[in-house]
Each structure stands twice: as structure tokens, then as C-alpha cells.
Amino acid sequence: MSDSGKAVVGRRPLVFTGTDGSQRFVPLSAFEIDAAGAIGLTARWQEAYPDSADRQFLVGLAKRAQDDGEIAAAPEAPSRPAVVFKAAGPGPEGNNIKVALDYPAPDTTAAPAAPAAPAQQESKAPQLTVEQSDVYQGLATAADAVKRIGTDQLPAGSEDRIGTGLVQVKAGTAEGAGLPEDFDALITGESAVKERREARGQGDRKEQSDDRGVYFTLVLRKSLPKTVRDKGVNVTITVDPTAGTYDVKAVYTSTPHTFEADTVIPLTNLPESITGIVGASAPPRGYAPPKVPWTTTLRGGADGVAAGATACTS
């Protein structure tokens, strides 16, 4: 079994007499109960007893204690809101924000009398990471990109909209014809996407046209903080010439923010590389340390509305 089952509780550790006549003690933390109710040794304690006969004996001993009602699965605490996340800006792209916390559970395994318990794993510091992935599918023209992605500014009389995602189309640059070229680059400022040109000529003497114009120019959203802009956003454009369409994907992944083990998420001391994408705050009833690791996805974002999510304790 793995250490993913439910913990075991009871009044005392399991006691038995070894083959050498010595009295042995095994803590209840050596056992876990899976979803089907079967009891077994945790992965660490399987390593402590490499002999299969010893493991079968211990599991049998625990099974008898379970049948007699001496031990049982630990009750699960009811979940409660732990921390609230909200996109830094409004817009449907906020629904593509994921917040992940990687924080290994503390090792509470007690050492048995014999044999020696496996070495306790070195404690790892928890890490908080934010990722936003904006995807605009099925675009057919440069004007489609302006409508779906949005621009960085609105000229007088324009009916376009300001982009709320990671990238925006620079105003006045979406003049390309046909389809763009495939594109994959890290944008830290702005980048011009070239038009796609068909090979021309006859027979085997076909040459690629070099007079490719600018299809449109993508820029990072003006409201993104400097740390986000300096790290950059990876932009991929994938063209489907058969369907006559192209997809635009923009992805930003923050550098993992590490904080001290055995502490709660520092809600008031997060780096701008994270808060520039999503903010964290305590729920109405107060902050609670969430169980980890976990990943939560923001939802509810729309024009003028910022997406949000609540991570719970379980």
C-alpha cells in the first residue's frame, strides 16, 4: 500500500512477541486503511519489514485488532474554506488560472523497537506556483485576433475591446492577409507575427516568398507587473491550413515561491510574480492551513468580473 490511505487510531500500539522472545511494539502510524476498508502497512513500514512473512504477520495482527474494534480509521475532519484566490484583473481569461501548492505532508512515523525504521525523509519547503494559459481557437483572419484577444489601446471611434488576457494585439497592426506563420516564442516585450506565404514557381523550382508582411504584433498586457513582463509569456501559434484557421496560446508560469516548512501560506508577503496574476486572502471565517498538495482552478471570470476560487482544508 502507499501512504495515501486513511490513518489508523486506537488506544495503544500493537504489541507482540518476536521470534527471539522479546516484546515488540508497532505504532498505529505504521498502518493505513484504504478506500475499501482493508488495513495494511504504509510504504515506509513495508521498507522497515522487508520480509513478506513479517509483513503478513503484522497485517494479520492489525486485522484482528480492527475486527475486535480496538483500532479503526481516523475520522475525517469536515472541510472548511482555507484561502481565497482572485484573479488580479477581470475577464474570461481568469478562468484559465491555476494555483498549485506542493507541500509534502510531515513524517509522523515513530521508530519501532526492531527492526530500525526507514530513514526519515528530509523535510521539503512548500512551494506556491501560479499558471495562466489563455487559448484562442479557430481564428481565421487577423481581425479575428483583435476581436477575440483584444487590443492594447482603442483608437477614437473603435469598436474593438481592450484585451484582458496575458497578451494583446498592438492597435493598428492587424493588417495581415490569409493566415499567419506558425510561431513559438517567449515574449517579454512585443513580437511581430509574419504572414504565411505559399511557395511559388513551377515544377520542382518553387521558392518561398521573402516578402512576408506583418500579420499582427502581439504585446504583453499593459497592466501586467514588471516582474511578470520580465519573466515573459510563451506564445504559440498553430496554423491548420486545411481548415483555414489558427490557434493562439499564451502561457505564463510563475517561479515557484518557497516559504518555510510548517507555516501557512504568507498571504501578505507573496511576490509580485504571483500577485500580478492572482491575489490571495483569508475567507470570511478566517484563514485555515489547507491540506496539501493541491491544485485549484479559478472560475467565474467574465467581462468586468474577476475569476476566483476557494481552496478548502480537504
Side-chain angles (χ1 to χ4, degrees), residues 6-39:
K6 295 181 180 179
V8 173
V9 295
R11 293 183 178 180
R12 56 185 174 82
L14 296 185
V15 182
F16 65 97
T17 302
T19 55
D20 58 356
S22 62
Q23 196 171 38
R24 306 281 184 87
F25 298 85
V26 179
L28 297 184
S29 58
F31 302 96
E32 63 180 3
I33 296 177
D34 64 18
I39 194 167

Side-chain angles (χ1 to χ4, degrees), residues 66-132:
Q66 182 185 24
D67 293 341
D68 292 340
E70 295 182 9
I71 62 175
E76 294 185 4
S79 62
R80 57 170 291 196
V83 57
V84 176
F85 296 101
K86 186 177 182 180
E93 289 88 354
N95 299 323
N96 302 321
I97 297 175
K98 292 183 178 181
V99 183
L101 184 65
D102 181 12
Y103 184 10
D107 183 6
T108 57
T109 302
Q120 185 176 6
Q121 294 184 354
E122 182 180 354
S123 179
K124 295 182 179 179
Q127 294 183 329
L128 188 69
T129 306
V130 171
E131 178 183 281
Q132 180 170 343

Side-chain angles (χ1 to χ4, degrees), residues 6-313:
K6 295 181 180 179
V8 173
V9 295
R11 293 183 178 180
R12 56 185 174 82
L14 296 185
V15 182
F16 65 97
T17 302
T19 55
D20 58 356
S22 62
Q23 196 171 38
R24 306 281 184 87
F25 298 85
V26 179
L28 297 184
S29 58
F31 302 96
E32 63 180 3
I33 296 177
D34 64 18
I39 194 167
L41 286 168
T42 65
R44 293 191 179 102
W45 279 79
Q46 289 184 46
E47 295 175 1
Y49 288 90
D51 187 275
S52 60
D54 290 340
R55 294 198 299 268
Q56 291 177 6
F57 173 77
L58 289 175
V59 170
L61 191 66
K63 180 66 168 60
R64 287 193 293 274
Q66 182 185 24
D67 293 341
D68 292 340
E70 295 182 9
I71 62 175
E76 294 185 4
S79 62
R80 57 170 291 196
V83 57
V84 176
F85 296 101
K86 186 177 182 180
E93 289 88 354
N95 299 323
N96 302 321
I97 297 175
K98 292 183 178 181
V99 183
L101 184 65
D102 181 12
Y103 184 10
D107 183 6
T108 57
T109 302
Q120 185 176 6
Q121 294 184 354
E122 182 180 354
S123 179
K124 295 182 179 179
Q127 294 183 329
L128 188 69
T129 306
V130 171
E131 178 183 281
Q132 180 170 343
S133 178
D134 302 337
V135 181
Y136 308 92
Q137 296 179 313
L139 308 180
T141 65
D144 282 350
V146 175
K147 294 177 182 177
R148 294 278 299 280
I149 300 174
T151 66
D152 63 334
Q153 58 182 322
L154 296 181
S158 174
E159 296 183 356
D160 297 329
R161 68 180 186 89
I162 295 291
T164 55
L166 294 168
V167 296
Q168 301 167 321
V169 178
K170 188 174 183 178
T173 66
E175 298 179 350
L179 296 172
E181 286 193 331
D182 288 332
F183 181 88
D184 189 356
L186 182 71
I187 297 180
T188 56
E190 64 179 53
S191 184
V193 179
K194 302 293 184 179
E195 291 182 40
R196 190 181 186 90
R197 285 287 188 265
E198 299 296 334
R200 57 188 180 184
Q202 296 181 351
D204 295 332
R205 300 184 61 184
K206 290 187 177 181
E207 299 177 352
Q208 186 71 30
S209 171
D210 292 328
D211 60 344
R212 297 171 298 164
V214 173
Y215 194 75
F216 53 62
T217 298
L218 292 176
V219 297
L220 299 185
R221 193 180 77 231
K222 289 183 176 181
S223 58
L224 290 175
K226 184 176 185 302
T227 51
V228 174
R229 300 171 70 86
D230 288 346
K231 190 175 188 301
V233 174
N234 192 84
V235 176
T236 304
I237 296 179
T238 305
V239 179
D240 184 347
T242 302
T245 61
Y246 64 96
D247 300 339
V248 177
K249 183 177 182 180
V251 179
Y252 168 80
T253 304
S254 70
T255 300
H257 174 62
T258 302
F259 48 97
E260 294 182 4
D262 301 323
T263 62
V264 297
I265 300 174
L267 302 181
T268 60
N269 192 31
L270 292 175
E272 190 181 53
S273 59
I274 288 179
T275 59
I277 300 297
V278 62
S281 61
R285 294 186 179 181
Y287 175 78
K291 292 183 179 180
V292 289
W294 50 253
T295 299
T296 185
T297 302
L298 275 59
R299 291 287 182 262
D303 289 342
V305 180
T310 299
C312 296
T313 55

